[in-house]
Amino acid sequence: MSRAVEESNRRMLRARDAMDRAFAQPLDVAALARLVHVSEAHFIRTFRATFGETPHRYLQRRRVERSMFMLRETQQSVTSICFAVGFTSLGTFSRTFREIVGQSPSEYRRGAGGSVAAPTCFAMAWTRPSSFGEARGVAG
């Protein structure tokens, strides 16, 4: 790996870490691009090349991942979870959740009852949504 690629990867990791810390905030591509010292367009292209998805999709996946945890572990309503993870519309949240997970948030909650004792790292890897469209391929 060349030094330039290594530096680019390091910058993209820095941006992704910033997104992880503020996942409930609106996506600010301009601020992330400034953080890694590139233009907005270059940031989006490089992020996608590095991680295989756009910053917007990454952020949505992180929000859904967090909402999956909250649906399993809390009694909060789906609507409050929707807003807590950064979605501004229940319809968008439900549609995005279904695209990634393959079922509605309420269906997911009903099916997530009864947890099994397992190491946290295994449980996180098992329940982590990997990308958009995979659930659709499995279901239909």
Side-chain angles (χ1 to χ4, degrees), residues 14-134:
R14 190 179 323 142
R16 193 174 75 174
D17 288 346
M19 292 171 69
D20 287 342
R21 283 191 304 272
F23 69 89
Q25 303 299 316
L27 180 63
D28 187 352
V29 172
L32 292 169
R34 281 193 305 274
L35 179 70
V36 296
H37 308 289
V38 296
S39 72
E40 292 178 37
H42 186 76
F43 170 71
I44 292 169
R45 281 193 309 271
T46 306
F47 190 96
R48 185 176 187 161
T50 304
F51 300 114
E53 59 190 346
T54 64
H56 178 73
R57 282 194 174 200
Y58 175 77
L59 184 59
Q60 284 191 318
R61 191 168 54 76
R62 289 287 294 140
R63 288 174 173 170
V64 166
E65 184 179 313
R66 180 67 183 158
S67 69
M68 291 169 69
F69 171 80
M70 293 174 78
L71 287 165
R72 284 191 316 269
E73 304 296 331
T74 73
Q75 296 302 314
Q76 293 182 43
S77 70
V78 171
T79 303
S80 69
I81 290 173
C82 158
F83 294 121
V85 299
F87 284 93
T88 57
S89 158
L90 183 59
T92 301
F93 170 67
S94 296
R95 180 177 40 79
T96 304
F97 192 96
R98 182 178 290 277
E99 285 176 4
I100 294 173
V101 179
Q103 52 189 304
S104 73
S106 298
E107 291 168 341
Y108 177 80
R109 173 175 270 168
R110 279 191 297 274
S115 59
V116 177
T120 304
C121 60
F122 180 77
M124 288 178 65
W126 182 260
T127 58
R128 176 171 290 150
S130 60
S131 187
F132 280 73
E134 288 182 351

